[in-house]
Amino acid sequence: MNVRRDPRVPVTTAAGLGAVAVVVALITGGSAPVVTAIAGVVTGLFAAVSLIMAASRVIPSHRRQAGAWRWMAAGSLTWLLGVGVRPMADGTPFVLTFADLLMLVGSVLLAIGCGMSVKPPAFTRGVIRQAADAYLGAASVFAMTWVAVLGPAFRKAEDTGAFFVALALPVVCLLATCAVTPAVAASRSGNRAVGLTGVGVLTAITVAEMATALARLDGDTPPLAAGLVVPAMLLVLAVTPWVQDVRPVRPLPAALTAATPLVLVAAATVIATLYVIRGSRDAALAVVAASVVLVLLGRLFVLLVETAGMRRLVDVGEQQLRRLAENTGDVVLVCDPVGVIQEVGPGLEATYGYRPDDLAFRPIFDYIHPEDLPAVQALLDRMTDEDDGPEQEGGPAQEGGTRISCRFRASDGTWRPTESVAARHVRDDDLVLVTIRDLSDQVALRNQVTHLTFHDGVTGLPNRAYFEERARDVLTRRGAGGTAVIFLDLDGFTSVNDSVGHASGDHLLGQAARRLRSAVRADDTLARWGGDEFAVLLEGGGSGGTDAQTAIDLAERLVRAVSNEPFRVADRDVALTASVGVAFAEEDLPPGDLLRNADVAMSRAKELGGRRVEVFATHMHADVLRRLEIASDLQRALLENQFAIEYQPVVDLATSRVTAVEALVRWWRGGTFVPPEQFLGPAEDTGIIVPLSEWILREACREVAAWRASSWDIGLALNLSARQIMAPRFVETVADALSESGLPASALTLEVIEEMLVEDAGEMISRLSELRTLGVRLAIDDFGTGYASLAFLRQLPVDMIKIDPSFVSGLGRDDTLTLLTRTIVQLGNDLGLIVVAEGIERPEQLDLLRKMGCTRGQGYLVARPMTARGVDSLMPTSTLQNTA
């Protein structure tokens, strides 16, 4: 309901006023014209006031409805003025008086209001067609009225001119009624009840004025019943705006309202024909019939013009569709219902190597892969059976075409993946239009992405995600019998990265992967677990079986493969050893626990000096004790301020301007530097990472806020840990740190790695979304190394992605890594994200990244991590001079 109302008030008032007006007029002995005038003035005034009040209370979104009601109110006022002065004007010698003109204007205003009471889509048929339908309806009604009433009156009339002048008012009212009735009757507007009532008022006025005109011509007084029908309808019009939602009126079908003028014409034709057959002939009836014929011919001409225009539009649309398909590289085929190709569009030879004549009049099934043939055949059968009715299966889908994936044979014999759309031809329903789009590049890219998702970009081995999935699958299918897991860690690899850089470290990992691959059996799964760790899955039932001794022998071979010969890295020999742990599957042991046991055994081997193999045993609690010791030292270090923060600059690659710094924690334990990878893991496991991260956040925000206070537009980047994000007051902690330091939220970028999304993804994304609402920026660190990248971008809006150094290290040397890096940069740019490349160590890497469109970067070539004092030295120029 769009009007606040109480329907009882207007209903009671309307009934009371109408009854009082009629009774008073009759008691006072008024004549029929006087009674009609009094009733018309009272009810017309009441209708106008009611419509105006209802319009003033309409909600703003229904202003068109309020305007329609005001037009109808104006029509009611004008009409009542005419009714009020008619008794005085009836004594004049004129057939058409000033009162009649007022009533004529009032009727037109009522018709305008009725037309505005419905929504504009009701008038989409065109003005000419509406006018023609209105005239046809009015002329038909007039002809039937002529036969029944007007013809005899005309033959008795002494003055034919006065006769037709007297009919002017009812004829105009009839035209107005026929003009608005179809639109109002077919409208689905919720406010159409007022419009329908207005149509009823117009109809009543037409009937009353027709009776009045005939009475005038006969010199009689108009009948009282004809004069009171209009006041009665006005009372209904006054009440309708207040009760129209009580019982909504259903609209008539559009087809019925469109056919009504033609039905009236047919009825009038039959009646007029019978009238003529009986021997009655009137010139007026002949004129009306001739005008109807002319209007019908005009309407037919307009219909032919519209049909021709629609046909031209269909032709243009078909040409545009073909041109669009050609420009997009699609191949268009026209087939008959049995699949024989009748016409071939351009682009076939360029895409599949066929000439059009090679496929013409040959079955399309000859070029469809046998496995896909049943689905294609079923699709054509459904399209053929569609004529049986819309309820046929697949029928509704055919209106816009049906998509189907299949493989299409190229001229070289290869099967190309395609996405095809089959639809009925726009001109001939017996033909099928088939659009074939080649998806070879997309499928190849998807396969490549899938491979990269489950494979390591540095070594080419399966990654951790693949290994975990494979372990779950093996234990589910084969059980625990004969299954073992080997974990291997390269001893001393951290010093390689620190001494020769990450790029050389990645090169060493590639060499280690090749050695390990040559040592494992063909049935074993070798994967890079992460960092400098590798994992091997030995599946029970393989060649030679997998017993305990076989697993231990393989573990020792892996140690020898790493330790026997040094690695050649950066023109130097680097000797490494390996720590190996072995764990055997047991009944009811979850896959995660099996992997954990192998990791525990490997850690035990590393603690014992490395270059050895340790088999997991249940009594291995030394790891727990060691972690407790580290946790105790970390807690003490936090209380004694043994931690420090270094900042690694992030620069704009185009201008070499420092745009941000990434805060990195450092631990000096009794004057000895402890690498972050040795204490961050235990800190995460024991929960010390939460207060440590809060301290880093507050200190870094304070430092960066001080730099920004010196008119240096610089941002801060911080890495988040999983336990930190899941801390109870994590979001509040970030907000407090920003508030205390005065650092704008937009200047803080918090980074997460993809591995965090593997477990408790829903809760973690919820927490990160809360950060996003604070205005803090979010970034994905090491983008591309996990398998949650795309899912993360879809679920959480991020501002930045940081390309993992393993990809950057291969720029200019590895085509696959170069292509993948370019793809990531393009993906970030297309999504409107800031792309940061990590691990820039060579000038050619910097040049390639600039050409790819990567906007920002960091690494040893750009700047090494430095203390806050070192960052202060960058402040005067805000650029790094050594990046040129």
Side-chain angles (χ1 to χ4, degrees), residues 18-71:
V20 169
V22 174
V23 170
V24 169
L26 293 174
I27 291 176
T28 56
S31 62
V34 174
V35 174
T36 301
I38 294 175
V41 170
V42 173
T43 56
L45 180 61
F46 180 71
V49 172
S50 177
L51 288 169
I52 292 174
M53 291 179 60
S56 66
R57 304 182 72 178
V58 171
I59 60 178
S61 61
H62 291 74
R63 286 177 295 180
R64 179 182 177 85
Q65 171 190 341
W69 292 356
R70 293 189 180 98
W71 276 94

Side-chain angles (χ1 to χ4, degrees), residues 601-624:
M602 181 194 68
S603 299
R604 176 63 175 173
K606 200 171 188 67
E607 290 175 1
L608 296 177
R611 195 173 182 175
R612 59 185 298 138
V613 176
E614 285 291 326
V615 179
F616 177 80
T618 55
H619 63 274
M620 286 185 175
H621 298 297
D623 180 69
V624 177

Side-chain angles (χ1 to χ4, degrees), residues 625-709:
L625 298 176
R626 181 181 64 85
R627 288 181 179 273
L628 290 176
E629 182 182 355
I630 293 177
S632 177
D633 291 345
L634 286 172
Q635 185 69 40
R636 188 182 310 109
L638 190 61
L639 295 175
E640 296 177 358
N641 297 323
Q642 297 179 9
F643 294 101
I645 300 177
E646 290 186 352
Y647 301 90
Q648 185 170 23
V650 179
V651 303
D652 187 318
L653 297 184
T655 62
S656 296
R657 182 177 62 87
V658 177
T659 60
V661 290
E662 180 178 359
L664 305 173
V665 65
R666 298 291 185 256
W667 183 16
W668 296 93
R669 186 182 186 186
T672 303
F673 175 74
V674 181
E677 57 270 17
Q678 292 187 10
F679 68 86
L680 288 181
E684 175 80 12
D685 295 339
T686 57
I688 303 299
I689 192 68
V690 175
L692 176 60
S693 298
E694 291 181 6
W695 175 81
I696 297 170
L697 175 65
R698 296 180 186 276
E699 288 296 314
C701 286
R702 182 180 58 80
E703 289 281 1
V704 175
W707 291 328
R708 291 179 64 88

Side-chain angles (χ1 to χ4, degrees), residues 375-389:
V376 177
Q377 181 68 62
L379 172 61
L380 290 179
D381 292 342
R382 285 202 308 270
M383 298 188 69
T384 303
D385 296 339
E386 187 180 329
D387 293 335
D388 295 338

Side-chain angles (χ1 to χ4, degrees), residues 502 645-652 657-666 700 704 707 712 714-719 751 781-782 802 805 836-841 856-868 870-871 874 880 882:
H502 290 281
I645 300 177
E646 290 186 352
Y647 301 90
Q648 185 170 23
V650 179
V651 303
D652 187 318
R657 182 177 62 87
V658 177
T659 60
V661 290
E662 180 178 359
L664 305 173
V665 65
R666 298 291 185 256
V704 175
W707 291 328
W712 189 12
I714 187 172
L716 171 64
L718 283 172
N719 284 290
E751 303 174 3
D781 197 11
D782 299 339
K802 304 187 74 173
V836 181
E838 296 184 288
I840 304 176
E841 299 182 353
R856 300 183 184 178
Q858 62 184 113
Y860 285 174
L861 179 67
V862 176
R864 290 178 176 270
M866 59 188 69
T867 62
V871 177
L874 304 177
L880 296 178
N882 62 346

Side-chain angles (χ1 to χ4, degrees), residues 504 506-516 566-569:
S504 298
D506 291 343
H507 180 63
L508 188 149
L509 289 174
Q511 297 182 52
R514 288 189 290 272
R515 293 187 186 183
L516 297 176
F567 296 90
R568 188 68 178 174
V569 179

Side-chain angles (χ1 to χ4, degrees), residues 505-578:
D506 291 343
H507 180 63
L508 188 149
L509 289 174
Q511 297 182 52
R514 288 189 290 272
R515 293 187 186 183
L516 297 176
R517 188 184 293 112
S518 63
V520 300
R521 302 177 302 180
D523 296 334
D524 301 331
T525 301
L526 171 65
R528 183 187 178 192
W529 186 253
D532 58 346
E533 297 181 5
F534 296 86
V536 181
L537 176 65
L538 290 79
E539 305 178 19
S543 58
T546 304
D547 53 19
Q549 190 58 47
T550 301
I552 294 174
D553 291 343
L554 175 57
E556 291 177 349
R557 287 203 307 273
L558 295 177
V559 172
R560 292 193 297 271
V562 172
S563 308
N564 284 354
E565 297 182 14
F567 296 90
R568 188 68 178 174
V569 179
D571 297 330
R572 69 179 70 176
D573 290 333
V574 177
L576 296 179
T577 59

